[in-house]
Amino acid sequence: MTIEIDSKITDSEWEVMRVVWAQDKATSKEIREILQQKMDWKPSTTKTFIGRLVKKGMLDTQTEGKKYIYSANINESEFIKSTLNETFENICNKDVGHTIVDLISKATLSFKDIDMLEKALEMKKKDAVEEVPCNCIPGQCKCNIHDVH
Ligand SMILES: [Zn+2]
């Protein structure tokens, strides 16, 4: 069975998801208790966010007696990947390179991370192009403006 997931979530909903991802399964009380140190939510507020996530297909509900137990329908790394993909789809192809450089410059990286990056870059060299073509419609990026002399 495939579940239709609406992965457009708010920052508050993301806070809830991080707890569920880390705990595997959690009740709304457990979620609220963990988030207490960060968010000052009432039980009803927590339940509202959980309800929205269930509606979006992000969370699955199981009952155990009177208790509702929540688990994630999508794993965290898959979710991050699709969120990043969506963001990059909104960037002109020409700007993707320096956006990645920007991300790398700001990140704290281990030697192992850098090793992985170097390997990935080495692979990318094999199919690098002289110039990345713009993929935007005229008027949604600066490329066309620069092209007109
Ligand atoms: Zn463009």
Side-chain angles (χ1 to χ4, degrees):
M1 193 184 87
T2 36
I3 314 144
E4 199 65 48
I5 295 172
D6 174 8
S7 57
K8 299 246 184 322
I9 63 170
T10 63
D11 290 344
S12 299
E13 288 163 3
W14 205 321
E15 296 288 348
V16 172
M17 286 310 295
R18 287 191 64 186
V19 175
V20 180
W21 279 319
Q23 308 298 315
D24 288 326
K25 280 176 195 315
T27 63
S28 77
K29 186 166 174 267
E30 285 164 347
I31 293 168
R32 184 168 47 87
E33 278 169 1
I34 287 171
L35 287 175
Q36 217 161 36
Q37 50 202 308
K38 206 171 170 184
M39 328 294 286
D40 193 21
W41 290 344
K42 290 187 184 81
S44 59
T45 311
T46 312
K47 279 179 184 154
T48 301
F49 293 136
I50 292 169
R52 286 181 192 158
L53 287 164
V54 170
K55 227 176 174 179
K56 288 178 181 182
M58 293 285 294
L59 286 181
D60 186 41
T61 319
Q62 278 173 311
T63 45
E64 209 178 273
K66 275 185 180 171
K67 269 198 279 183
Y68 287 97
I69 300 160
Y70 303 97
S71 58
N73 278 331
I74 178 168
N75 76 44
E76 190 169 16
S77 62
E78 260 176 68
F79 179 75
I80 304 279
K81 247 188 236 169
S82 82
T83 306
L84 282 177
N85 280 341
E86 272 172 39
T87 303
F88 275 87
E89 273 165 22
N90 289 322
I91 303 172
C92 171
N93 273 347
K94 279 177 175 300
D95 291 335
V96 167
H98 76 74
T99 304
I100 294 171
V101 172
D102 234 41
L103 283 174
I104 292 172
S105 316
K106 282 182 199 128
T108 305
L109 299 170
S110 68
F111 287 110
K112 205 178 151 201
D113 293 328
I114 292 170
D115 215 43
M116 280 191 317
L117 277 166
E118 281 177 343
K119 283 194 180 109
L121 282 176
E122 209 47 56
M123 292 296 290
K124 286 312 261 183
K125 256 188 194 164
K126 288 177 187 152
D127 49 29
V129 292
E130 206 53 57
E131 206 189 327
V132 178
C134 164
N135 59 321
C136 315
I137 59 163
Q140 269 205 322
C141 74
K142 303 256 188 208
C143 303
N144 297 308
I145 297 164
H146 290 306
D147 284 347
V148 180
H149 293 291

